[in-house]
Amino acid sequence: PQGPRHVTGSPLTNGDLHADHLGNIRLATGYSSPGGHKTLFYRREENADWVNIGNEVIAGDDDRFAFLGFDEKNQHLILLTDVLGDTTAIAQLDPESRKLDLIYQNSRLDIRSEDIIWNKNRNKIIGVTLRGSYPQNHYFDDSDKSTKTHQYLDSLFAGQIVRVVSEARDASKFVINVSADRNPGDYYLYDGKK
């Protein structure tokens, strides 16, 4: 047996490394120094040099962003951030141009990472749970197949929040979590073939 193989190092002392959808380590998030500000280091491909892009894009207070993932094409970073307005929004960052574009923002409610609704492959955000006085799911593209599945599951449990926890590869079965203000959470197995 061979010993451990060094894959990569982090440009940050206290940072986290993030892989794209192909498994390549291309992003580091963390603090620039003890007591420093939160920042982003990016590289175009796995063996390229790290570039600090956080100071150019999101300057100021700590925790002004949270990394959610790469977009479907592994070209842009999807973030939660409050630099685009008064509430936390979902934004897309082009790491090459440093351009930050709004994907979705609610004028009254902050969005948290647990409010994000992903497609089956977890490479596309299809919606968000808005947790106002009456929680509801808001979807971005009604023609998307994953969106249609989620909307159908929502209809089965009106007035409750439905989360797909796990899904069969062929999308025939789902483990779902259903919760509400009077229901701390139940799990169901949904068989889409029945």
Side-chain angles (χ1 to χ4, degrees), residues 20-173:
D20 63 18
H21 300 299
L22 300 175
N24 299 313
I25 305 295
R26 295 183 42 221
L27 186 73
T29 59
Y31 294 89
S32 55
S33 62
H37 292 288
K38 194 170 186 182
T39 192
L40 294 165
F41 275 79
Y42 168 80
R43 58 187 180 182
R44 187 174 294 135
E45 51 195 38
E46 192 165 45
N47 294 321
D49 291 333
W50 291 103
V51 177
N52 184 345
I53 63 172
N55 295 337
E56 297 174 43
V57 179
I58 303 171
D61 298 332
D62 294 345
D63 301 325
R64 303 248 3 226
F65 69 90
F67 175 69
L68 296 174
F70 284 85
D71 72 345
E72 290 179 279
K73 297 178 181 178
N74 285 325
Q75 295 175 347
H76 299 99
L77 312 176
I78 307 299
L79 308 172
L80 282 180
T81 182
D82 66 356
V83 300
L84 297 172
D86 294 333
T87 58
T88 304
I90 305 168
Q92 175 175 279
L93 172 64
D94 180 333
E96 301 294 332
S97 69
R98 316 298 199 266
K99 186 171 186 248
L100 189 64
D101 291 317
L102 180 67
I103 294 175
Y104 178 78
Q105 185 170 35
N106 185 281
S107 62
R108 296 180 306 107
L109 303 169
D110 284 326
I111 299 168
R112 303 172 305 180
S113 59
E114 58 266 24
D115 298 330
I116 303 297
I117 303 170
W118 295 92
N119 71 347
K120 176 185 174 187
N121 297 324
R122 289 198 52 83
N123 64 4
K124 179 182 176 186
I125 296 174
I126 61 169
V128 64
T129 299
L130 299 174
R131 297 181 187 271
S133 55
Y134 176 75
Q136 62 183 5
N137 289 336
H138 172 76
Y139 296 99
F140 305 141
D141 179 4
D142 289 338
S143 66
D144 182 90
K145 185 178 179 182
S146 290
T147 298
K148 289 179 180 184
T149 300
H150 281 261
Q151 288 172 328
Y152 176 72
L153 293 171
D154 287 348
S155 73
L156 297 176
F157 300 93
Q160 300 188 72
I161 297 298
V162 179
R163 285 273 182 228
V164 174
V165 177
S166 182
E167 181 176 345
R169 285 193 177 112
D170 65 356
S172 63
K173 294 182 181 179

Side-chain angles (χ1 to χ4, degrees), residues 164-184:
V164 174
V165 177
S166 182
E167 181 176 345
R169 285 193 177 112
D170 65 356
S172 63
K173 294 182 181 179
F174 302 86
V175 174
I176 57 176
N177 173 261
V178 179
S179 62
D181 59 345
R182 295 180 186 202
N183 176 5

